[in-house]
Amino acid sequence: RKEVEQDPGPFNVPEGATVAFNCTYSNSASQSFFWYRQDCRKEPKLLMSVYSSGNEDGRFTAQLNRASQYISLLIRDSKLSDSATYLCVVRFTGGGNKLTFGTGTQLKVEL
Amino acid sequence: DTGVSQDPRHKITKRGQNVTFRCDPISEHNRLYWYRQTLGQGPEFLTYFQNEAQLEKSRLLSDRFSAERPKGSFSTLEIQRTEQGDSAMYLCASSLVSGENEKLFFGSGTQLSVL
């Protein structure tokens, strides 16, 4: 089983739709959580950190459920420019300091 | 440009040859990572440095891979006796750690093709 798992998609949604991605992680002693965004043929870039109480940044909302070991990302009023791959990233306690990436979920927002 | 830079952008080599990639991190960043990414997969951790010290190396990394960061600034990743399975995008990232928050800044990567 992979340490960080995501549904690869693609998720094809119309502009203006709300879309949610889930990510599960295997190590219950996990420390820090992030969502990165990667555009086609580009490098990953930090989208947002995920805090225990949940956090919001504009149209983006991140949630953490430690009991069920999953992280979610909600995108409201999706734009064409949101089309990208969204990578779930976890730092595990006792796993050194490396950040472990999921395989990513591809989002395509269409007219 | 004050971002992370990687050189070369593309490298085509024949199986069995050695290749070396360079990464120049953001100047004040103390941590430097190497990741590898293949199509349809997320970045896979290879190794990372805190200043000049190599603190962790993936168990998946064979002895053919070696990385250095001699003065705590730029880093090199060398692959000896390349194999076709080494073909991938090699990404370098740097960060300035502050508590538990760590934002990685990635370079554009070096695309390796082993023929």
Side-chain angles (χ1 to χ4, degrees):
Chain A
R1 182 184 173 188
K2 290 186 177 181
E3 292 179 296
V4 181
E5 295 203 65
Q6 297 182 251
D7 181 344
F11 283 59
N12 298 321
V13 302
E15 202 174 13
T18 295
V19 61
F21 308 135
N22 286 334
C23 165
T24 57
Y25 57 93
S26 59
N27 189 332
S28 60
S30 296
Q31 188 177 48
S32 308
F33 308 90
F34 310 88
W35 284 100
Y36 275 69
R37 169 189 170 136
Q38 186 170 26
D39 293 297
C40 187
R41 301 184 188 279
K42 297 286 189 181
E43 70 275 17
K45 292 183 179 179
L46 178 66
L47 178 66
M48 59 196 302
S49 301
V50 185
Y51 302 118
S52 297
S53 56
N55 48 299
E56 191 174 301
D57 182 3
R59 297 181 294 107
F60 298 84
T61 300
Q63 296 279 350
L64 168 62
N65 185 320
R66 286 189 182 270
S68 302
Q69 294 179 211
Y70 80 79
I71 308 145
S72 64
L73 177 67
L74 182 78
I75 305 175
R76 291 182 301 279
D77 188 25
S78 52
K79 313 290 184 190
L80 293 174
S81 57
D82 294 334
S83 298
T85 295
Y86 291 84
L87 297 158
C88 175
V89 186
V90 179
R91 175 181 287 119
F92 298 107
T93 304
N97 279 293
K98 68 176 187 287
L99 294 177
T100 301
F101 285 73
T103 55
T105 298
Q106 189 179 7
L107 171 66
K108 295 181 180 178
V109 181
E110 302 165 332
L111 287 172
Chain B
D1 187 354
T2 56
V4 178
S5 63
Q6 291 187 244
D7 183 70
R9 291 294 302 274
H10 301 91
K11 178 70 176 178
I12 300 173
T13 191
K14 291 184 179 179
R15 191 174 48 188
Q17 297 294 305
N18 299 343
V19 294
T20 300
F21 308 142
R22 177 181 170 121
C23 172
D24 286 272
I26 295 172
S27 58
E28 65 267 25
H29 285 184
N30 54 2
R31 197 169 279 179
L32 186 149
Y33 295 80
W34 285 100
Y35 282 84
R36 176 173 64 189
Q37 187 174 27
T38 54
L39 199 62
Q41 300 297 315
E44 176 189 25
F45 171 79
L46 296 179
T47 188
Y48 92 96
F49 294 83
Q50 177 88 11
N51 299 313
E52 67 273 12
Q54 187 174 17
L55 295 187
E56 192 171 347
K57 188 174 176 180
S58 170
R59 291 190 299 272
L60 302 174
L61 218 57
S62 77
D63 291 341
R64 297 185 297 107
F65 288 73
S66 63
E68 294 182 345
R69 194 182 183 197
K71 297 181 180 179
S73 56
F74 75 92
S75 175
T76 58
L77 177 69
E78 181 182 15
I79 309 174
Q80 296 181 327
R81 305 181 303 284
T82 53
E83 302 172 357
Q84 287 185 325
D86 296 333
S87 296
M89 174 71 80
Y90 289 82
L91 292 165
C92 174
S94 71
S95 68
L96 183 63
V97 179
S98 174
E100 289 190 2
N101 284 325
E102 181 177 6
K103 180 178 179 179
L104 263 59
F105 292 84
F106 282 86
S108 299
T110 294
Q111 180 67 53
L112 174 65
S113 298
V114 182
L115 305 179

